[in-house]
Amino acid sequence: MAEILVDVRHLTHEFRFPNRQRLRALDDVSFQIERGEILGLVGESGSGKSTAARCIMNVYKPTAGEIFFQGINTCDSAAFRANKKLLQTQRQFIFQDSTSSLNQRMTVADIIAEPMVIHKIRPPRHTHRAEAAFQLHYVGMDESFLDKRPAELSGGQRQRVAIARALSMEPALLVADEPIASLDVSIQAQIINLFKHLQQEHGFSILFIAHDLAMVEYLCDRVGVLYRGKLVELAPTKALYGDPRHPYTQALLSAIPHPDPRTERQREYPDFEAMDFPRDGTFTEVAPGHFVLM
């Protein structure tokens, strides 16, 4: 039986505004991430994907529910304080915008070494610079980049540096929030292949959030579908793409672009704003590992 690394139980998160209005971004969401698997979260903008990632990483405090990482309840203040170093090193976040997530005044060597300096971790290769060079090599860059600053790098190179910084902590969980959305298509494929290669090498788990359904299909072991804050379907990737059960999942997959230009021009895309999909029901297992809100 696979080991559960992350266990999200009945997660609800509301944003509160000064006029006392509330926006429920996540509504009773439950899922698990197994050790060594890549779980994808998909859905339209505003469906709650990034909110879920930020709750898992303790950027947001959930309104209700619990999140366990390696058996530690990260929503419990006392448990978090008692395991703070483990939680801050074993979970790493990769953001969509690599420009704002990297300190523009620091060199690549200093950026990669920064987590080790902050947490007072002795570099396995004796010096911070040697460790930075090793991590750069892992993400397909050489030592000539060590003294460069983020402004001197391309978007794809900056994202590779962000990945190298995360890997320097040897994490058990990598949370990647739209890490390829701001990159050119050719660079997106390189970064996705890099994720796949690194995961196979290191064996860490990845929570991968993306709009590109084709990339998710290629990379992920399982996929969860969020619709207006509700998890409506969760299944192994092959089962979800081959036999989607929820109407929203079916509509979402029907919008994947077709490689044939003639076929693509003749297609009619669903108007998601004009459609209203069911959000009530019970999360039911309709096939082994395949859950649908129905």
Side-chain angles (χ1 to χ4, degrees):
M1 186 175 178
E3 180 185 351
I4 302 302
L5 182 68
V6 179
D7 190 359
V8 178
R9 303 178 184 175
H10 307 291
L11 176 61
T12 297
H13 186 71
E14 293 181 342
F15 291 103
R16 301 179 183 183
F17 301 98
N19 58 4
R20 296 188 178 182
Q21 288 187 338
R22 297 183 180 187
L23 173 65
R24 179 162 290 193
L26 291 172
D27 185 6
D28 195 24
V29 171
S30 298
F31 62 88
Q32 297 175 328
I33 303 175
E34 298 175 357
R35 188 177 289 276
E37 84 160 335
I38 305 177
L39 176 68
L41 272 185
V42 300
E44 300 167 89
S45 295
S47 61
K49 305 185 302 297
S50 294
T51 302
R54 283 161 171 74
C55 287
I56 289 172
M57 293 298 292
N58 290 105
V59 177
Y60 296 157
K61 184 176 181 179
T63 305
E66 296 176 313
I67 302 170
F68 291 85
F69 176 78
Q70 293 185 354
I72 301 165
N73 186 352
T74 62
C75 299
D76 180 80
S77 299
F80 182 88
R81 286 194 300 269
N83 299 278
K84 187 175 181 179
K85 185 172 182 178
L86 181 147
L87 293 171
Q88 290 184 339
T89 56
Q90 288 296 293
R91 306 176 304 165
Q92 294 295 312
F93 211 154
I94 297 176
F95 296 90
Q96 174 181 338
D97 187 0
S98 57
T99 303
S100 61
S101 68
L102 303 180
N103 190 325
Q104 301 299 306
R105 297 185 178 184
M106 295 174 70
T107 64
V108 168
D110 291 336
I111 288 170
I112 296 174
E114 186 179 24
M116 289 180 281
V117 174
I118 291 172
H119 295 290
K120 297 181 174 59
I121 296 174
R122 184 177 180 180
R125 286 149 196 93
H126 307 299
T127 68
H128 289 127
R129 188 175 181 85
E131 185 65 25
F134 177 82
Q135 298 298 344
L136 269 188
H137 170 74
Y138 246 114
V139 298
M141 298 172 69
D142 58 46
E143 295 183 21
S144 65
F145 291 93
L146 284 173
D147 296 314
K148 293 183 182 293
R149 287 177 166 77
E152 302 175 78
L153 307 177
S154 67
Q157 289 168 342
R158 287 195 296 269
Q159 201 60 288
R160 287 172 185 265
V161 170
I163 295 170
R165 177 178 61 183
L167 292 180
S168 70
M169 291 290 94
E170 298 183 356
L173 174 68
L174 204 60
V175 176
D177 186 10
E178 302 272 11
I180 60 172
S182 60
L183 304 176
D184 293 339
V185 174
S186 60
I187 306 300
Q188 288 182 4
Q190 293 177 20
I191 297 298
I192 288 297
N193 283 323
L194 177 62
F195 273 120
K196 201 173 187 73
H197 170 72
L198 291 172
Q199 193 277 333
Q200 291 169 349
E201 286 266 327
H202 293 265
F204 49 70
S205 302
I206 302 177
L207 176 60
F208 185 78
I209 295 168
H211 279 100
D212 192 323
L213 298 173
M215 291 293 189
V216 170
E217 183 181 15
Y218 172 72
L219 179 67
C220 299
D221 301 307
R222 290 190 301 143
V223 180
V225 181
L226 281 169
Y227 172 62
R228 296 184 183 177
K230 202 80 172 177
L231 188 64
V232 297
E233 192 159 359
L234 176 66
T237 304
K238 188 175 181 180
L240 186 100
Y241 281 75
D243 184 23
R245 301 292 186 93
H246 194 275
Y248 177 69
T249 308
Q250 294 168 358
L252 203 61
L253 295 181
S254 72
I256 297 177
H258 197 276
D260 184 347
R262 290 172 296 183
T263 305
E264 184 66 17
R265 282 194 295 268
Q266 296 170 1
R267 291 179 62 194
E268 292 186 8
Y269 285 96
D271 183 0
F272 288 99
E273 293 186 5
M275 302 171 76
D276 190 23
F277 301 95
R279 295 176 63 250
D280 297 319
T282 304
F283 213 49
T284 305
E285 188 171 18
V286 296
H290 193 155
F291 296 86
V292 182
L293 189 69
M294 56 189 304

CSV table of all heavy atoms in Angstrom, one decimal, residues 2-8 30-42 196 205-209 213 215-225 231 233-241 283 285 288-291:
chain,number,residue,atom,x,y,z
A,2,ALA,N,0.5,2.2,-0.9
A,2,ALA,CA,1.3,3.4,-1.0
A,2,ALA,C,1.3,4.3,0.3
A,2,ALA,O,0.2,4.4,0.9
A,2,ALA,CB,0.9,4.2,-2.2
A,3,GLU,N,2.4,4.9,0.6
A,3,GLU,CA,2.4,5.8,1.8
A,3,GLU,C,1.8,7.2,1.4
A,3,GLU,O,2.1,7.8,0.4
A,3,GLU,CB,3.9,6.0,2.2
A,3,GLU,CG,4.0,6.9,3.4
A,3,GLU,CD,5.5,7.2,3.8
A,3,GLU,OE1,6.4,6.5,3.2
A,3,GLU,OE2,5.7,8.0,4.6
A,4,ILE,N,0.9,7.7,2.3
A,4,ILE,CA,0.3,9.0,2.1
A,4,ILE,C,1.2,10.0,2.6
A,4,ILE,O,1.6,10.1,3.8
A,4,ILE,CB,-1.1,9.0,2.8
A,4,ILE,CG1,-2.0,7.9,2.3
A,4,ILE,CG2,-1.7,10.4,2.6
A,4,ILE,CD1,-2.3,7.9,0.8
A,5,LEU,N,1.6,11.0,1.8
A,5,LEU,CA,2.5,12.1,2.1
A,5,LEU,C,1.7,13.3,2.6
A,5,LEU,O,1.9,13.9,3.6
A,5,LEU,CB,3.4,12.5,1.0
A,5,LEU,CG,4.4,13.6,1.3
A,5,LEU,CD1,5.5,13.1,2.3
A,5,LEU,CD2,5.0,14.1,0.0
A,6,VAL,N,0.7,13.6,1.8
A,6,VAL,CA,-0.2,14.8,2.1
A,6,VAL,C,-1.7,14.3,2.2
A,6,VAL,O,-2.1,13.6,1.3
A,6,VAL,CB,-0.1,15.9,1.0
A,6,VAL,CG1,-1.0,17.0,1.4
A,6,VAL,CG2,1.4,16.4,0.9
A,7,ASP,N,-2.3,14.7,3.2
A,7,ASP,CA,-3.7,14.3,3.4
A,7,ASP,C,-4.6,15.5,3.7
A,7,ASP,O,-4.5,16.1,4.7
A,7,ASP,CB,-3.8,13.3,4.6
A,7,ASP,CG,-5.2,12.6,4.7
A,7,ASP,OD1,-6.1,13.0,3.9
A,7,ASP,OD2,-5.4,11.8,5.6
A,8,VAL,N,-5.3,15.9,2.7
A,8,VAL,CA,-6.2,17.1,2.8
A,8,VAL,C,-7.6,16.6,3.1
A,8,VAL,O,-8.2,15.9,2.4
A,8,VAL,CB,-6.2,17.9,1.5
A,8,VAL,CG1,-7.1,19.1,1.5
A,8,VAL,CG2,-4.8,18.3,1.1
A,30,SER,N,-11.3,17.4,-0.3
A,30,SER,CA,-10.5,16.3,0.3
A,30,SER,C,-9.8,15.5,-0.8
A,30,SER,O,-10.4,15.1,-1.8
A,30,SER,CB,-11.4,15.3,1.1
A,30,SER,OG,-12.0,16.0,2.2
A,31,PHE,N,-8.5,15.3,-0.6
A,31,PHE,CA,-7.7,14.5,-1.5
A,31,PHE,C,-6.4,14.1,-0.8
A,31,PHE,O,-6.0,14.7,0.2
A,31,PHE,CB,-7.4,15.1,-2.9
A,31,PHE,CG,-6.7,16.4,-2.8
A,31,PHE,CD1,-5.3,16.4,-2.8
A,31,PHE,CD2,-7.3,17.6,-2.7
A,31,PHE,CE1,-4.5,17.6,-2.8
A,31,PHE,CE2,-6.6,18.8,-2.7
A,31,PHE,CZ,-5.2,18.8,-2.7
A,32,GLN,N,-5.7,13.2,-1.4
A,32,GLN,CA,-4.4,12.7,-0.8
A,32,GLN,C,-3.4,12.7,-1.9
A,32,GLN,O,-3.7,12.6,-3.1
A,32,GLN,CB,-4.5,11.3,-0.2
A,32,GLN,CG,-5.5,11.2,1.0
A,32,GLN,CD,-5.7,9.8,1.5
A,32,GLN,OE1,-5.6,8.9,0.7
A,32,GLN,NE2,-5.9,9.7,2.8
A,33,ILE,N,-2.1,12.9,-1.5
A,33,ILE,CA,-1.0,12.8,-2.4
A,33,ILE,C,-0.1,11.7,-1.8
A,33,ILE,O,0.4,11.8,-0.7
A,33,ILE,CB,-0.2,14.1,-2.5
A,33,ILE,CG1,-1.1,15.3,-3.0
A,33,ILE,CG2,1.0,14.0,-3.5
A,33,ILE,CD1,-0.4,16.6,-3.0
A,34,GLU,N,0.2,10.7,-2.6
A,34,GLU,CA,1.0,9.6,-2.2
A,34,GLU,C,2.5,10.0,-2.4
A,34,GLU,O,2.8,10.8,-3.2
A,34,GLU,CB,0.7,8.4,-3.0
A,34,GLU,CG,-0.7,7.9,-2.8
A,34,GLU,CD,-1.1,6.7,-3.7
A,34,GLU,OE1,-0.2,6.3,-4.5
A,34,GLU,OE2,-2.2,6.2,-3.6
A,35,ARG,N,3.3,9.3,-1.6
A,35,ARG,CA,4.8,9.6,-1.7
A,35,ARG,C,5.2,9.1,-3.1
A,35,ARG,O,5.0,8.0,-3.5
A,35,ARG,CB,5.5,8.9,-0.6
A,35,ARG,CG,7.0,9.2,-0.6
A,35,ARG,CD,7.7,8.6,0.6
A,35,ARG,NE,7.3,9.1,1.9
A,35,ARG,CZ,7.9,10.2,2.4
A,35,ARG,NH1,8.8,10.9,1.8
A,35,ARG,NH2,7.4,10.6,3.6
A,36,GLY,N,5.9,10.0,-3.8
A,36,GLY,CA,6.5,9.6,-5.1
A,36,GLY,C,5.5,9.8,-6.3
A,36,GLY,O,5.9,9.4,-7.4
A,37,GLU,N,4.3,10.3,-6.1
A,37,GLU,CA,3.4,10.5,-7.2
A,37,GLU,C,3.3,12.0,-7.6
A,37,GLU,O,3.7,12.9,-6.9
A,37,GLU,CB,2.0,10.0,-6.9
A,37,GLU,CG,1.1,10.9,-6.1
A,37,GLU,CD,-0.4,10.6,-6.2
A,37,GLU,OE1,-0.8,9.9,-7.2
A,37,GLU,OE2,-1.1,11.0,-5.3
A,38,ILE,N,2.8,12.2,-8.8
A,38,ILE,CA,2.6,13.5,-9.4
A,38,ILE,C,1.1,13.7,-9.5
A,38,ILE,O,0.4,13.0,-10.3
A,38,ILE,CB,3.3,13.8,-10.7
A,38,ILE,CG1,4.8,13.5,-10.6
A,38,ILE,CG2,3.0,15.2,-11.2
A,38,ILE,CD1,5.5,13.7,-11.9
A,39,LEU,N,0.5,14.5,-8.7
A,39,LEU,CA,-0.9,14.8,-8.7
A,39,LEU,C,-1.2,16.1,-9.4
A,39,LEU,O,-0.6,17.2,-9.0
A,39,LEU,CB,-1.5,14.8,-7.3
A,39,LEU,CG,-3.0,15.2,-7.2
A,39,LEU,CD1,-3.9,14.1,-7.8
A,39,LEU,CD2,-3.4,15.5,-5.8
A,40,GLY,N,-2.0,16.2,-10.4
A,40,GLY,CA,-2.4,17.4,-11.1
A,40,GLY,C,-3.7,17.9,-10.6
A,40,GLY,O,-4.6,17.2,-10.3
A,41,LEU,N,-3.8,19.3,-10.6
A,41,LEU,CA,-5.0,19.9,-10.3
A,41,LEU,C,-5.4,20.8,-11.4
A,41,LEU,O,-4.5,21.7,-11.8
A,41,LEU,CB,-4.9,20.8,-9.0
A,41,LEU,CG,-5.2,20.1,-7.6
A,41,LEU,CD1,-5.2,21.2,-6.5
A,41,LEU,CD2,-6.6,19.4,-7.6
A,42,VAL,N,-6.6,20.7,-12.0
A,42,VAL,CA,-6.9,21.5,-13.2
A,42,VAL,C,-8.3,22.1,-12.9
A,42,VAL,O,-9.0,21.7,-12.0
A,42,VAL,CB,-7.0,20.6,-14.5
A,42,VAL,CG1,-5.7,20.0,-14.8
A,42,VAL,CG2,-8.1,19.5,-14.4
A,196,LYS,N,9.6,15.8,-15.0
A,196,LYS,CA,9.5,14.3,-15.1
A,196,LYS,C,10.8,13.6,-14.8
A,196,LYS,O,10.9,12.6,-14.0
A,196,LYS,CB,9.0,14.0,-16.5
A,196,LYS,CG,8.3,12.6,-16.6
A,196,LYS,CD,7.8,12.4,-18.0
A,196,LYS,CE,6.9,11.1,-18.0
A,196,LYS,NZ,5.7,11.2,-17.3
A,205,SER,N,7.3,13.9,-4.3
A,205,SER,CA,5.9,14.0,-4.8
A,205,SER,C,5.8,15.5,-5.4
A,205,SER,O,6.5,16.4,-5.0
A,205,SER,CB,4.9,13.8,-3.7
A,205,SER,OG,5.1,12.6,-3.1
A,206,ILE,N,4.9,15.6,-6.4
A,206,ILE,CA,4.6,16.9,-7.0
A,206,ILE,C,3.1,17.2,-7.0
A,206,ILE,O,2.3,16.3,-7.4
A,206,ILE,CB,5.2,17.0,-8.4
A,206,ILE,CG1,6.7,16.7,-8.4
A,206,ILE,CG2,4.9,18.4,-9.0
A,206,ILE,CD1,7.3,16.8,-9.9
A,207,LEU,N,2.7,18.3,-6.5
A,207,LEU,CA,1.4,18.8,-6.7
A,207,LEU,C,1.5,19.8,-7.9
A,207,LEU,O,2.1,20.9,-7.7
A,207,LEU,CB,0.8,19.5,-5.5
A,207,LEU,CG,-0.6,20.2,-5.7
A,207,LEU,CD1,-1.6,19.1,-6.1
A,207,LEU,CD2,-1.0,20.9,-4.5
A,208,PHE,N,1.0,19.4,-9.1
A,208,PHE,CA,1.2,20.2,-10.3
A,208,PHE,C,-0.1,20.9,-10.7
A,208,PHE,O,-1.1,20.2,-11.0
A,208,PHE,CB,1.7,19.3,-11.4
A,208,PHE,CG,2.1,20.0,-12.7
A,208,PHE,CD1,3.3,20.7,-12.8
A,208,PHE,CD2,1.2,20.0,-13.8
A,208,PHE,CE1,3.6,21.4,-13.9
A,208,PHE,CE2,1.6,20.7,-14.9
A,208,PHE,CZ,2.8,21.4,-15.0
A,209,ILE,N,-0.1,22.2,-10.7
A,209,ILE,CA,-1.3,23.0,-11.1
A,209,ILE,C,-1.0,23.6,-12.4
A,209,ILE,O,0.0,24.3,-12.7
A,209,ILE,CB,-1.5,24.1,-10.0
A,209,ILE,CG1,-1.9,23.4,-8.7
A,209,ILE,CG2,-2.6,25.0,-10.4
A,209,ILE,CD1,-1.8,24.3,-7.5
A,213,LEU,N,-4.1,21.2,-20.3
A,213,LEU,CA,-4.5,19.8,-20.0
A,213,LEU,C,-3.7,18.8,-20.7
A,213,LEU,O,-3.5,17.6,-20.2
A,213,LEU,CB,-6.0,19.7,-20.4
A,213,LEU,CG,-7.0,20.6,-19.7
A,213,LEU,CD1,-8.4,20.5,-20.3
A,213,LEU,CD2,-7.0,20.2,-18.2
A,215,MET,N,-0.4,18.9,-21.1
A,215,MET,CA,0.8,18.8,-20.3
A,215,MET,C,0.5,18.0,-19.1
A,215,MET,O,1.3,17.2,-18.6
A,215,MET,CB,1.3,20.2,-19.9
A,215,MET,CG,1.9,21.0,-21.1
A,215,MET,SD,3.4,20.2,-21.7
A,215,MET,CE,4.0,21.5,-22.8
A,216,VAL,N,-0.7,18.2,-18.5
A,216,VAL,CA,-1.1,17.5,-17.3
A,216,VAL,C,-1.2,16.0,-17.6
A,216,VAL,O,-0.8,15.2,-16.8
A,216,VAL,CB,-2.4,18.1,-16.7
A,216,VAL,CG1,-3.0,17.2,-15.6
A,216,VAL,CG2,-2.2,19.5,-16.2
A,217,GLU,N,-1.8,15.7,-18.7
A,217,GLU,CA,-2.0,14.3,-19.1
A,217,GLU,C,-0.6,13.6,-19.3
A,217,GLU,O,-0.4,12.5,-18.9
A,217,GLU,CB,-2.7,14.2,-20.4
A,217,GLU,CG,-3.0,12.8,-20.9
A,217,GLU,CD,-3.7,12.7,-22.2
A,217,GLU,OE1,-3.8,13.8,-22.9
A,217,GLU,OE2,-4.3,11.6,-22.6
A,218,TYR,N,0.4,14.4,-19.8
A,218,TYR,CA,1.7,13.8,-20.1
A,218,TYR,C,2.5,13.6,-18.8
A,218,TYR,O,3.2,12.6,-18.6
A,218,TYR,CB,2.5,14.7,-21.0
A,218,TYR,CG,3.9,14.4,-21.1
A,218,TYR,CD1,4.3,13.2,-21.9
A,218,TYR,CD2,4.9,15.1,-20.5
A,218,TYR,CE1,5.7,12.9,-22.0
A,218,TYR,CE2,6.3,14.8,-20.7
A,218,TYR,CZ,6.6,13.7,-21.4
A,218,TYR,OH,8.0,13.3,-21.5
A,219,LEU,N,2.3,14.5,-17.8
A,219,LEU,CA,3.2,14.5,-16.6
A,219,LEU,C,2.6,13.7,-15.4
A,219,LEU,O,3.3,13.0,-14.7
A,219,LEU,CB,3.4,15.9,-16.2
A,219,LEU,CG,4.3,16.2,-15.0
A,219,LEU,CD1,5.7,15.7,-15.2
A,219,LEU,CD2,4.3,17.6,-14.5
A,220,CYS,N,1.3,13.8,-15.2
A,220,CYS,CA,0.7,13.5,-13.9
A,220,CYS,C,0.2,12.0,-13.8
A,220,CYS,O,-0.2,11.4,-14.8
A,220,CYS,CB,-0.5,14.4,-13.6
A,220,CYS,SG,0.0,16.1,-13.4
A,221,ASP,N,0.3,11.4,-12.6
A,221,ASP,CA,-0.2,10.1,-12.4
A,221,ASP,C,-1.7,10.1,-12.1
A,221,ASP,O,-2.4,9.2,-12.6
A,221,ASP,CB,0.5,9.5,-11.2
A,221,ASP,CG,2.0,9.4,-11.3
A,221,ASP,OD1,2.5,8.9,-12.4
A,221,ASP,OD2,2.8,9.9,-10.5
A,222,ARG,N,-2.2,11.1,-11.4
A,222,ARG,CA,-3.6,11.3,-11.1
A,222,ARG,C,-3.9,12.7,-11.3
A,222,ARG,O,-3.1,13.6,-11.2
A,222,ARG,CB,-4.0,10.9,-9.7
A,222,ARG,CG,-3.9,9.4,-9.4
A,222,ARG,CD,-4.5,9.1,-8.0
A,222,ARG,NE,-3.8,9.8,-7.0
A,222,ARG,CZ,-4.4,10.3,-5.9
A,222,ARG,NH1,-5.7,10.2,-5.8
A,222,ARG,NH2,-3.7,10.9,-5.0
A,223,VAL,N,-5.2,13.0,-11.6
A,223,VAL,CA,-5.7,14.4,-11.8
A,223,VAL,C,-7.0,14.6,-11.0
A,223,VAL,O,-7.9,13.8,-11.0
A,223,VAL,CB,-5.9,14.6,-13.3
A,223,VAL,CG1,-6.4,16.0,-13.6
A,223,VAL,CG2,-4.7,14.3,-14.1
A,224,GLY,N,-7.0,15.8,-10.4
A,224,GLY,CA,-8.2,16.3,-9.7
A,224,GLY,C,-8.8,17.5,-10.5
A,224,GLY,O,-8.0,18.3,-10.9
A,225,VAL,N,-10.1,17.5,-10.6
A,225,VAL,CA,-10.7,18.6,-11.3
A,225,VAL,C,-11.5,19.5,-10.3
A,225,VAL,O,-12.4,19.0,-9.6
A,225,VAL,CB,-11.7,18.1,-12.4
A,225,VAL,CG1,-12.3,19.2,-13.2
A,225,VAL,CG2,-10.9,17.1,-13.3
A,231,LEU,N,-14.2,20.0,-5.6
A,231,LEU,CA,-13.5,18.9,-6.3
A,231,LEU,C,-14.6,18.0,-6.9
A,231,LEU,O,-15.4,17.4,-6.1
A,231,LEU,CB,-12.6,18.1,-5.4
A,231,LEU,CG,-11.7,17.1,-6.0
A,231,LEU,CD1,-10.7,17.7,-6.9
A,231,LEU,CD2,-11.0,16.3,-4.9
A,233,GLU,N,-14.1,15.7,-9.6
A,233,GLU,CA,-13.7,14.4,-10.1
A,233,GLU,C,-12.2,14.3,-9.8
A,233,GLU,O,-11.4,15.2,-9.8
A,233,GLU,CB,-13.9,14.3,-11.6
A,233,GLU,CG,-13.7,12.9,-12.2
A,233,GLU,CD,-14.4,12.7,-13.5
A,233,GLU,OE1,-15.0,13.6,-14.1
A,233,GLU,OE2,-14.3,11.6,-14.1
A,234,LEU,N,-11.8,13.0,-9.5
A,234,LEU,CA,-10.4,12.7,-9.1
A,234,LEU,C,-10.2,11.2,-9.6
A,234,LEU,O,-11.0,10.3,-9.2
A,234,LEU,CB,-10.2,12.8,-7.6
A,234,LEU,CG,-8.8,12.4,-7.1
A,234,LEU,CD1,-7.7,13.3,-7.6
A,234,LEU,CD2,-8.8,12.3,-5.6
A,235,ALA,N,-9.2,11.1,-10.4
A,235,ALA,CA,-9.0,9.7,-11.0
A,235,ALA,C,-7.6,9.6,-11.5
A,235,ALA,O,-6.9,10.6,-11.8
A,235,ALA,CB,-10.0,9.5,-12.2
A,236,PRO,N,-7.1,8.3,-11.8
A,236,PRO,CA,-5.8,8.1,-12.5
A,236,PRO,C,-6.0,8.8,-13.9
A,236,PRO,O,-7.0,8.9,-14.4
A,236,PRO,CB,-5.8,6.6,-12.6
A,236,PRO,CG,-6.6,6.1,-11.5
A,236,PRO,CD,-7.7,7.1,-11.3
A,237,THR,N,-4.8,9.4,-14.3
A,237,THR,CA,-4.8,10.2,-15.5
A,237,THR,C,-5.5,9.5,-16.7
A,237,THR,O,-6.3,10.1,-17.4
A,237,THR,CB,-3.4,10.6,-15.9
A,237,THR,OG1,-2.8,11.3,-14.7
A,237,THR,CG2,-3.4,11.5,-17.1
A,238,LYS,N,-5.1,8.2,-16.9
A,238,LYS,CA,-5.6,7.5,-18.1
A,238,LYS,C,-7.1,7.4,-18.0
A,238,LYS,O,-7.9,7.5,-19.0
A,238,LYS,CB,-5.0,6.1,-18.2
A,238,LYS,CG,-5.3,5.4,-19.5
A,238,LYS,CD,-4.5,4.1,-19.5
A,238,LYS,CE,-4.8,3.3,-20.8
A,238,LYS,NZ,-4.0,2.1,-20.9
A,239,ALA,N,-7.6,7.1,-16.8
A,239,ALA,CA,-9.1,6.9,-16.6
A,239,ALA,C,-9.8,8.2,-16.8
A,239,ALA,O,-10.9,8.3,-17.4
A,239,ALA,CB,-9.4,6.3,-15.2
A,240,LEU,N,-9.3,9.3,-16.3
A,240,LEU,CA,-9.9,10.6,-16.3
A,240,LEU,C,-10.0,11.1,-17.8
A,240,LEU,O,-11.1,11.6,-18.2
A,240,LEU,CB,-9.2,11.6,-15.5
A,240,LEU,CG,-10.0,13.0,-15.4
A,240,LEU,CD1,-10.7,13.1,-14.1
A,240,LEU,CD2,-9.0,14.2,-15.5
A,241,TYR,N,-8.9,11.0,-18.5
A,241,TYR,CA,-8.9,11.4,-19.9
A,241,TYR,C,-9.7,10.5,-20.8
A,241,TYR,O,-10.2,10.9,-21.9
A,241,TYR,CB,-7.5,11.6,-20.4
A,241,TYR,CG,-6.9,12.9,-19.9
A,241,TYR,CD1,-6.5,13.1,-18.6
A,241,TYR,CD2,-6.7,14.0,-20.7
A,241,TYR,CE1,-5.9,14.3,-18.1
A,241,TYR,CE2,-6.2,15.2,-20.3
A,241,TYR,CZ,-5.8,15.3,-19.0
A,241,TYR,OH,-5.2,16.5,-18.5
A,283,PHE,N,-19.2,12.5,-3.1
A,283,PHE,CA,-18.0,12.1,-3.8
A,283,PHE,C,-18.0,10.6,-3.8
A,283,PHE,O,-17.7,10.0,-2.7
A,283,PHE,CB,-16.8,12.7,-3.2
A,283,PHE,CG,-15.7,13.0,-4.1
A,283,PHE,CD1,-15.9,13.7,-5.3
A,283,PHE,CD2,-14.4,12.6,-3.8
A,283,PHE,CE1,-14.9,14.1,-6.2
A,283,PHE,CE2,-13.3,12.9,-4.7
A,283,PHE,CZ,-13.6,13.6,-5.9
A,285,GLU,N,-17.0,6.7,-5.4
A,285,GLU,CA,-16.0,5.9,-6.2
A,285,GLU,C,-16.8,5.1,-7.3
A,285,GLU,O,-17.5,4.2,-6.9
A,285,GLU,CB,-15.2,5.0,-5.3
A,285,GLU,CG,-14.0,4.3,-6.1
A,285,GLU,CD,-13.1,3.6,-5.1
A,285,GLU,OE1,-13.5,3.3,-4.0
A,285,GLU,OE2,-12.0,3.3,-5.5
A,288,PRO,N,-12.3,1.7,-9.6
A,288,PRO,CA,-11.2,1.7,-8.7
A,288,PRO,C,-10.3,3.0,-8.8
A,288,PRO,O,-9.7,3.3,-9.9
A,288,PRO,CB,-10.4,0.5,-9.1
A,288,PRO,CG,-11.4,-0.4,-9.7
A,288,PRO,CD,-12.4,0.5,-10.4
A,289,GLY,N,-10.3,3.8,-7.7
A,289,GLY,CA,-9.5,5.0,-7.7
A,289,GLY,C,-10.1,6.2,-8.5
A,289,GLY,O,-9.6,7.3,-8.5
A,290,HIS,N,-11.3,6.0,-9.0
A,290,HIS,CA,-12.0,7.0,-9.8
A,290,HIS,C,-13.2,7.6,-9.0
A,290,HIS,O,-14.2,6.9,-8.9
A,290,HIS,CB,-12.4,6.5,-11.2
A,290,HIS,CG,-12.8,7.5,-12.2
A,290,HIS,ND1,-12.8,7.3,-13.5
A,290,HIS,CD2,-13.3,8.8,-12.0
A,290,HIS,CE1,-13.2,8.4,-14.2
A,290,HIS,NE2,-13.5,9.3,-13.3
A,291,PHE,N,-13.1,8.8,-8.6
A,291,PHE,CA,-14.2,9.4,-7.8
A,291,PHE,C,-14.8,10.6,-8.5
A,291,PHE,O,-14.2,11.3,-9.2
A,291,PHE,CB,-13.5,10.0,-6.5
A,291,PHE,CG,-13.0,8.9,-5.6
A,291,PHE,CD1,-11.7,8.5,-5.8
A,291,PHE,CD2,-13.7,8.3,-4.6
A,291,PHE,CE1,-11.1,7.5,-4.9
A,291,PHE,CE2,-13.2,7.4,-3.7
A,291,PHE,CZ,-11.9,6.9,-3.9
